[in-house]
Amino acid sequence: MTSSVHRQREAAGVRPRLVTPALLLRFVTVIGSSASFFLLLSVVPMYAQSAPGRGSDEAGVVTGSLMLTTVVGELATPWLVGRCGYRLTLGAGLLLLGAPALVLTVSRSMVWIVAVCLVRGLGFALTVVAGGALTVSLIPPERRGEGLALTGIVAGVPSLVGLPLGAWFAARTGYGPVCAAAAVFALAAIVAVPGLPDRGPTSGPSPGFLAGARTAGLLRPTAVFAVAALGAGTVVTFLPLAVPSRYSAWVAAALFVQPSAATVARWFAGRHSDRHGAAGLIAPALLASAAGILVTALTDVPVAVVAGVAVFGVGFGVLQNATITLMYSRVPSSGYGTVSALWNFGYDAGMGVGAAGFGVVAGLTGYPWAFALTALLMLSALGTAWSDRAAAREER
């Protein structure tokens, strides 16, 4: 659709339709991949630890293997999409995510479990990067922020439910049924793939991941979001360990409040971005994220912990929507795959580094100081956020 048509719609006050049949089919694949991934995210480490003589080291290897191929796959997916199109790449990702789950329980060997995780990580990378680029091609540019927020909600609900449900399901029925359920979610979603467009309209050659990383207008939002993702990695991984066990019910509430707040915030951020632009949201959202982590440092005060992760969730949710909306607005349609890869790389790398680094710091300082230092590190990205805002104003 040409920019002249967009201007005519804006002048007439006509808002294009957001939810189309193609977007609904895309939501089927979003739910399938998200549910499959999060159902097993905590279950597979449990399965690895269930063999005699194993402990937390094996659990760490399992999760690390999953995230390793996820990050590596995100680097290569824009190239693959450029050559194979959306449908083949997305379908392959769903297959690689679902099929290995069916055979996970064939063996308790660490080599087997790690191999399954490596393949599933690659499949998840294909689904999020190819799927992300496809999603934005299905959303009218005038409603991009709102559409991306809606997609985030569709993906967020399975993750919010699947993570605790997977562990509960495995504890009561065994590992086989929950693995089969995760496989069915991903494999069943493949039926929606043929109804999706294979390639979006392009305007020039597709830039690779490295070319995108050298583009300041894409690198700055990615860097800010990656630093904020440090906080997400620390909350998810260490909050249950940092808060005294007598407050375990408060921790459960906090771990529900944080993603819930982020999901709601993404929706409001998306609507704001469509009307006023996304660039002005990034610095305030980063401040809110850091402030939330700082309040969470009061680990002996359960009300402060819940309030802190709620504030962090709001800031992080706004950042999720604002950064990716801004990045998509800065590239032609041929660059959608690159943006999706950069953003997801920043998310996964930030969470992984945050979890690993926080553990080292907490061992030296204790959990409260580690949370406080994480908040200060997040604030260090404010300069990048402000410089990006200034550059956006100059480009107008």
Side-chain angles (χ1 to χ4, degrees), residues 326-351:
L326 185 63
M327 291 166 68
Y328 278 130
S329 72
R330 291 175 172 176
V331 297
S333 57
S334 59
Y336 289 167
T338 299
V339 166
S340 182
L342 275 170
W343 189 86
N344 281 288
F345 176 82
Y347 195 172
D348 295 332
M351 286 193 69

Side-chain angles (χ1 to χ4, degrees), residues 130-158:
L134 172 60
T135 299
V136 75
S137 73
L138 300 174
I139 298 172
E142 305 95 320
R143 303 186 70 179
R144 180 174 290 152
E146 188 178 358
L148 291 174
L150 180 60
T151 305
I153 293 171
V154 171
V157 171

Side-chain angles (χ1 to χ4, degrees), residues 230 233-234 237-238 349-367 369-371 373-374 377:
L230 295 173
T234 60
T237 306
F238 288 100
M351 286 193 69
V353 171
F358 186 92
V360 173
V361 174
L364 299 172
T365 67
Y367 289 117
W369 275 108
F371 276 112
L373 291 172
T374 300
L377 181 59

Side-chain angles (χ1 to χ4, degrees), residues 6-7 42 45 49 80 112 123 130 154 164 251 261 274 299 329 336 349 394:
H6 297 156
R7 287 193 294 269
S42 60
Q49 286 183 276
L80 192 61
W112 179 257
V154 171
V251 171
D274 289 338
T299 54
S329 72
Y336 289 167
E394 291 176 2

Side-chain angles (χ1 to χ4, degrees), residues 55-356:
S56 59
D57 290 345
E58 284 79 7
V61 168
V62 165
T63 302
S65 301
L66 180 73
M67 298 313 299
L68 172 65
T69 48
T70 297
V71 171
V72 171
E74 287 166 355
L75 303 180
T77 303
W79 176 87
L80 192 61
V81 169
R83 281 150 182 78
C84 301
Y86 294 133
R87 286 201 298 257
L88 182 59
T89 307
L90 180 57
L94 290 167
L95 179 64
L96 293 175
L97 183 62
L102 286 173
V103 297
L104 173 66
T105 56
V106 167
S107 170
R108 290 185 185 272
S109 163
M110 279 299 297
V111 173
W112 179 257
I113 296 171
V114 168
V116 168
C117 289
L118 290 172
V119 176
R120 295 191 77 241
L122 178 60
F124 188 63
L126 297 181
T127 64
V128 296
V129 175
L134 172 60
T135 299
V136 75
S137 73
L138 300 174
I139 298 172
E142 305 95 320
R143 303 186 70 179
R144 180 174 290 152
E146 188 178 358
L148 291 174
L150 180 60
T151 305
I153 293 171
V154 171
V157 171
S159 66
L160 190 65
V161 175
L163 194 59
L165 183 61
W168 181 89
F169 196 17
R172 283 156 180 78
T173 66
Y175 295 104
V178 70
C179 289
V184 167
F185 271 111
L187 297 177
I190 295 176
V191 301
V193 172
L196 295 169
D198 196 27
R199 298 179 187 271
T202 59
S203 53
S206 176
F209 180 90
L210 293 178
R214 291 193 295 266
T215 304
L218 300 181
L219 181 59
R220 288 190 298 260
T222 300
V224 172
F225 183 57
V227 171
L230 295 173
T234 60
V235 167
V236 171
T237 306
F238 288 100
L239 197 66
L241 303 176
V243 176
S245 59
R246 63 183 181 276
Y247 298 133
S248 58
W250 289 87
V251 171
L255 291 177
F256 179 81
V257 165
Q258 187 264 315
S260 300
T263 299
V264 173
R266 287 187 75 167
W267 174 257
F268 286 101
R271 293 181 65 85
H272 181 280
S273 297
D274 289 338
R275 290 159 175 76
H276 309 289
L281 292 173
I282 293 178
L286 182 61
L287 278 170
S289 300
I293 293 296
L294 188 60
V295 174
T296 305
L298 300 172
T299 54
D300 285 329
V301 184
V303 174
V305 170
V306 174
V309 299
V311 172
F312 169 76
V314 170
F316 190 65
V318 172
L319 276 174
Q320 283 180 298
N321 187 272
T323 51
I324 197 167
T325 300
L326 185 63
M327 291 166 68
Y328 278 130
S329 72
R330 291 175 172 176
V331 297
S333 57
S334 59
Y336 289 167
T338 299
V339 166
S340 182
L342 275 170
W343 189 86
N344 281 288
F345 176 82
Y347 195 172
D348 295 332
M351 286 193 69
V353 171

Side-chain angles (χ1 to χ4, degrees), residues 4 82 100 182 245 284 297 395:
S4 62
S245 59
E395 291 170 0

